[in-house]
Amino acid sequence: MAKIQLNGKSIKINSNSCIKDLIKKFKLKENKIAIELNGVILPKKFYSTKKIKDKDNIEIVQFIGGG
Amino acid sequence: MKKDILKIDNIKLNSRLIVGTGKYKNFKETAEAVRASGASMVTVAVRRVNILDKNKPVLMDYLNPKKIIYLPNTAGCFNSEDALRTLRLAREMGGWKLVKLEVLGDKTTLYPNMIETLKSTKILVKEGFKVMVYCSDDPIIAKQLEDLGASAIMPLASPIGSGRGIRNKLNLSIIINNSKVPVIVDAGIGTASDAAIAMELGCDGVLINTAIAKAKNPIVMAESMKYAVIAGRKSFLSGRIKAQKYGSASSPLEGLI
């Protein structure tokens, strides 16, 4: 298991998972989110290849209502 | 008269009213108000996904970004670094290049921090963003933003969410006269007459959020703003009469009995 920070919360995910697995786990839609991995924006084309490592810090954002 | 269309960086907008999507009771109300307003562009914020609640509704399910133009903004950012991070994420989300930059200086007044705003504008323009910039109503700053490549200048009319209306007509008029890019009054509109006044001054558009979202009936207020913006614009284009000191009878004196 890999222990990561996701949106400020500590969670565990199977070792060898990729970003796409994480998106599936949380039932998110790729075209409605953007992801930052360790402070760097991760382009969508890398979602299925980028492996998640222990201690990774991941931020997933979306659009919400705002002025 | 030829068709009067607002164009911001080659994007044509059918309505001169841009609507913010914050502060509504729920997404259903947001969508209904946006529809009633006739707006073709809405501002949206970028925030963390709530990972604990997988079934939480998302804005995009109610307002289709293919049908209405999303204008990602940086509301809540107090420095250039956070604003740039937010807009880069917004661009990654779906290719949004046209964005609204808003760097606040103070939590009480919500006045913009223009030093950080100028700095951010310069970087964003260099990175290929088309930037609509929330700013103070200082004509010199507004001109500097335009010179830096801003796609639209968005001076406040009064503090965000205050509903105080147009506090400085003179400054807004100077900004409008000086600007070659669209000037959108952002922040402070309280009611329909405020929106009409902004448009009569010659603004290219207005951005309204709180005045609609927090009205007792947001849907009806949205519609009211729609007509106020149209009325104000037409009034500006038609050229108002000169104000006179004394009365001038509307009916002819000839043939008076």
Side-chain angles (χ1 to χ4, degrees):
Chain A
M1 296 295 268
K3 201 175 163 193
I4 61 163
Q5 283 288 313
L6 177 62
N7 285 3
K9 292 189 174 62
S10 188
I11 67 148
K12 281 177 185 166
I13 186 158
N14 288 334
S15 304
N16 214 30
S17 297
C18 63
I19 294 289
K20 203 158 190 156
D21 298 325
L22 187 74
I23 293 171
K24 264 189 213 157
K25 183 180 161 77
F26 288 98
K27 293 184 180 167
L28 302 170
K29 292 198 179 82
E30 256 187 60
N31 60 346
K32 293 178 181 173
I33 55 166
I35 296 182
E36 220 181 51
L37 174 63
N38 300 322
V40 182
I41 290 173
L42 185 71
K44 288 187 197 297
K45 60 181 175 184
F46 297 122
Y47 286 0
S48 48
T49 52
K50 192 75 189 173
K51 298 283 183 208
I52 295 172
K53 295 191 305 294
D54 200 43
K55 290 180 186 158
D56 270 348
N57 187 359
I58 300 172
E59 292 281 350
I60 306 182
V61 298
Q62 65 182 1
F63 285 134
I64 64 148
Chain B
M1 204 174 200
K2 69 173 190 186
K3 213 170 174 202
D4 175 48
I5 297 259
L6 171 59
K7 216 167 131 190
I8 302 173
D9 190 61
N10 288 327
I11 293 178
K12 286 179 188 164
L13 299 176
N14 289 322
S15 168
R16 291 178 177 270
L17 171 60
I18 303 170
V19 171
T21 55
K23 292 183 174 175
Y24 287 93
K25 276 205 285 287
N26 49 48
F27 287 144
K28 191 174 164 278
E29 189 185 71
T30 314
E32 279 176 30
V34 169
R35 208 173 303 123
S37 76
S40 35
M41 178 184 267
V42 292
T43 59
V44 293
V46 175
R47 292 292 182 270
R48 277 174 167 168
V49 167
N50 183 348
I51 51 164
L52 297 178
D53 186 356
K54 293 176 192 174
N55 297 314
K56 217 177 170 200
V58 296
L59 182 68
M60 280 189 186
D61 294 337
Y62 289 82
L63 285 173
N64 185 348
K66 284 185 181 130
K67 290 185 180 158
I68 192 145
I69 300 166
Y70 271 34
L71 181 68
N73 80 2
T74 61
C77 292
F78 285 82
N79 57 59
S80 176
E81 199 185 327
D82 288 348
L84 296 174
R85 183 185 182 199
T86 302
L87 293 179
R88 287 167 184 153
L89 278 165
R91 176 160 65 177
E92 175 54 30
M93 206 139 13
W96 277 272
K97 271 192 182 169
L98 184 66
V99 293
K100 179 190 154 188
L101 174 68
E102 173 178 316
V103 188
L104 302 176
D106 167 288
K107 280 183 181 163
T108 310
T109 62
L110 298 180
Y111 258 68
N113 178 331
M114 288 317 302
I115 294 163
E116 292 289 297
T117 302
L118 285 163
K119 198 163 89 181
S120 312
T121 304
K122 199 173 177 183
I123 297 169
L124 288 167
V125 169
K126 209 172 165 187
E127 290 184 11
F129 282 95
K130 307 296 176 190
V131 201
M132 297 168 68
V133 193
Y134 170 62
C135 58
S136 56
D137 61 3
D138 176 341
I140 306 300
I141 290 280
K143 197 69 200 164
Q144 283 178 349
L145 287 169
E146 186 184 335
D147 292 344
L148 284 175
S151 297
I153 309 296
M154 305 177 87
L156 53 82
S158 48
I160 295 172
S162 69
R164 287 272 170 181
I166 318 293
R167 306 312 297 178
N168 197 336
K169 283 187 186 178
L170 184 64
N171 278 26
L172 288 178
S173 296
I174 297 171
I175 292 172
I176 292 161
N177 289 343
N178 286 347
S179 184
K180 290 188 185 72
V181 294
V183 176
I184 316 280
V185 158
D186 184 0
I189 301 284
T191 189
S193 52
D194 297 333
I197 290 169
M199 296 309 293
E200 283 177 352
L201 285 174
C203 287
D204 297 280
V206 292
L207 196 163
I208 306 174
N209 190 346
T210 310
I212 296 175
K214 287 298 174 196
K216 275 189 186 151
N217 188 329
I219 319 298
V220 177
M221 184 56 93
E223 197 182 7
S224 145
M225 292 299 187
K226 170 185 170 175
Y227 293 122
V229 169
I230 294 171
R233 178 67 183 175
K234 286 194 184 291
S235 173
F236 167 73
L237 291 175
S238 58
R240 60 154 295 156
I241 59 158
K242 198 167 180 280
Q244 306 289 345
K245 193 171 183 182
Y246 298 107
S248 161
S250 298
S251 309
L253 291 174
E254 201 187 315
L256 194 68
I257 51 168

